[in-house]
């Protein structure tokens, strides 16, 4: 019985590893589950997707009304430009595989909170344009040098780190 349970669990993980998802696919499923167009939503929850989201794509820019986007606990390796997300206030990308904070300039005018803990981020580059940022959750990454914190000095509105 234990061997059968182990085999089932092992097979489940293999299926997850083989079946990866793009943001476009996840948004289609979100629309089906929520009976509304994603582009009209203010809050999109796509955390803990099965299969996990591995790649962001240009479909993210269709989320014109989105103020809060939750993409945590997936397997996202890179961010993409957010030029269509003119209302984004909270971006949650914690527990992914991000190595850099990048491509957030297009949301700099509205982004207030960035949640990116539990990734593989080694530097705080990519934050300087986020002048409205009030909250930055960045724990449990690969930041080793205290000097990285100097990069936050220009973010006058930052209150919660």
């Amino acid at each position: 019985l234990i061997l059968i349970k182990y085999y089932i669990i092992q097979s489940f993980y293999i299926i997850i590893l083989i079946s990866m998802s793009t943001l476009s696919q996840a948004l289609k499923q979100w629309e089906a589950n929520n009976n509304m167009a994603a582009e009209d939503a203010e809050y999109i929850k796509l955390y803990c997707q099965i299969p996990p989201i591995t790649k962001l794509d240009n479909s993210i820019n269709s989320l014109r009304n989105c103020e809060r986007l939750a993409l945590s606990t997936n397997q996202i390796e890179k961010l993409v430009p957010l030029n269509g997300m003119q209302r984004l206030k909270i971006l949650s990308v914690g527990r992914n595989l991000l190595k850099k904070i990048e491509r957030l300039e297009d949301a700099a005018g509205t982004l207030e909170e960035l949640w990116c803990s539990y990734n593989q981020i080694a530097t705080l580059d990519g934050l300087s344009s986020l002048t409205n940022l009030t909250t930055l959750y960045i724990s449990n990454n690969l930041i080793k040098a205290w000097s990285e914190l100097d990069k936050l000095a220009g973010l006058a509105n930052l209150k919660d780190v």
Side-chain angles (χ1 to χ4, degrees), residues 135-152:
T135 304
L136 174 64
Y137 296 137
I138 191 104
S139 69
N140 297 288
N141 274 287
L142 301 177
I143 299 168
K144 295 185 174 72
W146 283 104
S147 60
E148 286 297 318
L149 296 176
D150 294 339
K151 296 174 182 174
L152 303 178

Side-chain angles (χ1 to χ4, degrees), residues 6 9 38 41 51 57 63 72-73 82 87 94 108 111 117 124 126 158 160:
Y6 174 76
I9 291 171
D57 50 43
L63 306 176
S72 294
T73 315
L82 304 175
R87 299 180 68 191
L111 194 63
S117 296
L124 293 177
L158 191 60
D160 191 7

Side-chain angles (χ1 to χ4, degrees), residues 60-73:
I60 199 167
N61 291 307
S62 69
L63 306 176
R64 295 185 308 263
N65 292 312
C66 186
E67 294 180 5
R68 186 172 180 184
L69 179 59
L71 295 169
S72 294
T73 315

Side-chain angles (χ1 to χ4, degrees), residues 2 46 60 66 70 79 84 106 108 113 122 126 130 132 149:
I2 293 173
L46 293 173
I60 199 167
C66 186
L79 296 175
D106 292 321
E113 298 184 21
L130 304 179
N132 290 324
L149 296 176

Side-chain angles (χ1 to χ4, degrees), residues 118-132:
Y118 294 95
N119 276 288
Q120 299 169 7
I121 299 166
T123 72
L124 293 177
D125 296 333
L127 293 172
S128 61
S129 67
L130 304 179
T131 55
N132 290 324

